[in-house]
Amino acid sequence: VHNYGMLTHQGNLFRHLRTNNRFSATSVDQLPHHLASLWLFGHKSLFPIPDIDRTDYFLMLGANPIASNGSLWTVPDVRKRIQALTARGGKLVVLDPRHTETARLASEHHFIRPGSDALFLLALLNTLFSEGLDDMAHLGEYVTGMDAVRTAIAEFTPDYAAAHTGVEAETIRRIARELAEANAGICYGRMGVSTQAYGALNQWLIQLVNIATGNLDKPGGSMFALPALDQINNTSPGGFGRHHSRVRGLPEFDRELPAAAMAEEITTDGENRIRALFTGAGNPVLSTPNGANLDAALEQLDFMVSLDPYLNETTRHADVILPPTSPLEHDHYDLAFHNNAMRN
């Protein structure tokens, strides 16, 4: 994704390989965002971007932009922007099991039990509904199904969530009230709420909070970027569950299988076992779950090719390495990340 040659032409290359066994970093990173965007907004890349410079209230879950410089949110000098938010009387509220670099700058930091974020978000939404704080404002004519959501989450009260999340019920209610009362507010979550059992549910609920408070597609809320080259018009919307992995039957997303299935698809005997592998600009032995398992699995391949400038933990297994030019030897235009930029 950081090389526009790969981004624009890998699809044409992979088409010739005629395989459903495709993997990428997506499934160990932002896949829940894509799935929520596909089902809510109709396209895998329609990501709402926090408009931090104009917001009054920023609720952040499982994100550490001081360390990441923004993630699915291209935002230069985020430290200065957080400081400007609080200096003008705004508020940054962070929920995270760790006291992160970002939490140190926050107006409030609440420790939450790992993996329980969905219950916090459900209780937040429950409070908005039960106290009549929801106001979809300009979004009303575009939203369907909210009554069904209201009914489905009726039992997920702050008192119920408190026992499981470690966040007090009255704190959940107060955060819901403050977010609803702000002139412009944001609910945003990243890696911590994505790479867990309820990742897709979390990202869906985060956007429902933005919708219920009227803060989606609103200045100071979460807005859709308008990049010069709009991926929404140049890529397919994506899809889910159209085929499944051979060993565990895991569903594809956007024609990719979860990277966690790669090793077992190589090592498990049977028809259609992966016997050859092409890697491009990736190091899954280092970056995917149980890398030691994958490291051993790659030794069982009949043939492997890597398009990569480095000899690393993954490419060391390749029979052939095709070295491209280095980042200092070619031009670049960021097709992907302008789609996440807080400035058009």
Side-chain angles (χ1 to χ4, degrees), residues 212-343:
T213 54
N215 283 307
L216 180 71
D217 204 27
K218 170 187 173 180
S222 291
M223 305 184 72
F224 296 105
L226 297 172
L229 186 64
D230 193 348
Q231 284 197 82
I232 309 307
N233 294 323
N234 289 282
T235 61
S236 70
F240 179 72
R242 293 164 294 186
H243 62 82
H244 295 75
S245 66
R246 175 180 65 101
V247 177
R248 269 191 286 169
L250 300 176
E252 61 79 36
F253 175 83
D254 199 28
R255 301 302 181 190
E256 292 182 4
L257 294 171
M262 197 186 315
E264 67 198 37
E265 293 295 327
I266 296 170
T267 59
T268 304
D269 287 334
E271 190 177 355
N272 296 322
R273 178 177 74 86
I274 293 177
R275 296 170 57 197
L277 179 67
F278 177 96
T279 69
N283 189 5
V285 168
L286 189 67
S287 62
T288 60
N290 200 349
N293 192 34
L294 180 60
D295 194 37
L298 296 182
E299 287 293 311
Q300 300 183 34
L301 291 168
D302 294 347
F303 186 63
M304 179 173 166
V305 181
S306 292
L307 176 62
D308 205 292
Y310 299 108
L311 185 63
N312 59 34
E313 292 84 352
T314 300
T315 62
R316 72 185 185 89
H317 294 281
D319 298 279
V320 177
I321 296 178
L322 305 173
T325 53
S326 78
L328 297 180
E329 294 176 291
H330 60 250
D331 57 354
H332 184 60
Y333 182 81
D334 218 331
L335 297 174
F337 287 88
H338 290 320
N339 202 58
N340 304 329
M342 59 165 295
R343 288 287 176 270

Side-chain angles (χ1 to χ4, degrees), residues 2 24 30 40-41 60 76 78 109 114 128 142 164 280 287 305 338:
H2 298 281
S24 82
Q30 80 281 2
L40 272 173
F41 310 128
M60 184 182 294
V78 69
H109 171 220
L128 293 172
Y142 304 106
H164 300 278
S287 62
V305 181
H338 290 320

